[in-house]
Amino acid sequence: MTYPAPRRLAALLLLAALLSGPRLAATGEPPGVATAKLAANCYGKLDALRFGQQQGPAVFTQQEINAYLALNKDRLFKSAAQEVKVTLAKDRFFVNASGDLAKANLKMDSLLHKAFMWILKGNHRIEAELQFTSRDRRGTYQIKMLRIDGIRVPETLANALARQVGQRQRPPLLPGEAFHLPAQIEHCLVTRHAVTCYPARAGKR
């Protein structure tokens, strides 16, 4: 079974699901109203892509993505996340986290469980850098950096943890392995403060 496009996109962007970043820019409206409007923009663009109604590129701003995640973090991340946000740069997702991984019910093999036993209890801050590229309706990502409570995790362990989390997605989202982009997306460009998604041509949907 494939997750609905909004959930699949959130998994694609964040993977481990515990993020924190810059606040939404001031809009002169109560935070709840501003967040809801930005999240609605995100929903509308995803629906247009999913149903083949998007005629040109769909630009998801960093504010819209963070607003969507803020409103849906409990559902997306099984109440494990206290804060959920992302910072965007060229081909990069910079993520931070605070939350309780025990609530995520991660299933780890015995060796990985021993290595990460200390993060499966209580609240922790997680920082990560993900590199993302895509073309021809396929995407790939790499974990470039992972820190937990300020301690850098060795690359081998970071990728092992990412694989454990990625295997919980349907279909899986594994580091270094191509996966099918959701919502009839041809490819996405990640730039400073925005993700631009290009709809697949009719013959490729």
Side-chain angles (χ1 to χ4, degrees), residues 174-194:
L174 304 177
E177 297 186 16
F179 56 87
H180 191 72
L181 295 175
Q184 300 190 46
I185 295 171
E186 172 71 22
H187 69 281
C188 296
L189 295 179
V190 184
T191 56
R192 189 171 181 264
H193 300 323

Side-chain angles (χ1 to χ4, degrees), residues 42-120:
C42 193
Y43 275 117
K45 295 170 189 177
L46 277 170
D47 282 344
L49 285 166
R50 183 171 48 177
F51 297 119
Q53 299 169 348
Q54 185 72 31
Q55 298 302 310
V59 179
F60 297 85
T61 70
Q62 181 173 293
Q63 288 184 325
E64 290 169 342
I65 293 169
N66 282 326
Y68 168 78
L69 294 171
L71 291 183
N72 293 277
K73 61 183 176 64
D74 288 343
R75 178 176 62 86
L76 292 170
F77 309 129
K78 305 182 186 300
S79 300
Q82 295 176 351
E83 297 180 276
V84 184
K85 291 183 183 177
V86 61
T87 302
L88 304 173
K90 180 176 172 55
D91 298 330
R92 293 289 196 278
F93 295 100
F94 291 93
V95 298
N96 281 288
S98 68
D100 186 351
L101 283 179
K103 295 180 180 179
N105 297 319
L106 295 179
K107 307 295 184 185
M108 300 184 184
D109 59 47
S110 58
L111 291 178
L112 195 62
H113 187 274
K114 290 179 181 178
F116 284 98
M117 179 77 74
W118 61 282
I119 71 167
L120 295 178

Side-chain angles (χ1 to χ4, degrees), residues 91 131-135 138-141 179 181 188:
D91 298 330
Q131 181 182 37
F132 171 79
T133 58
S134 66
R135 58 178 296 177
R138 309 285 286 180
T140 59
Y141 74 91
F179 56 87
L181 295 175
C188 296

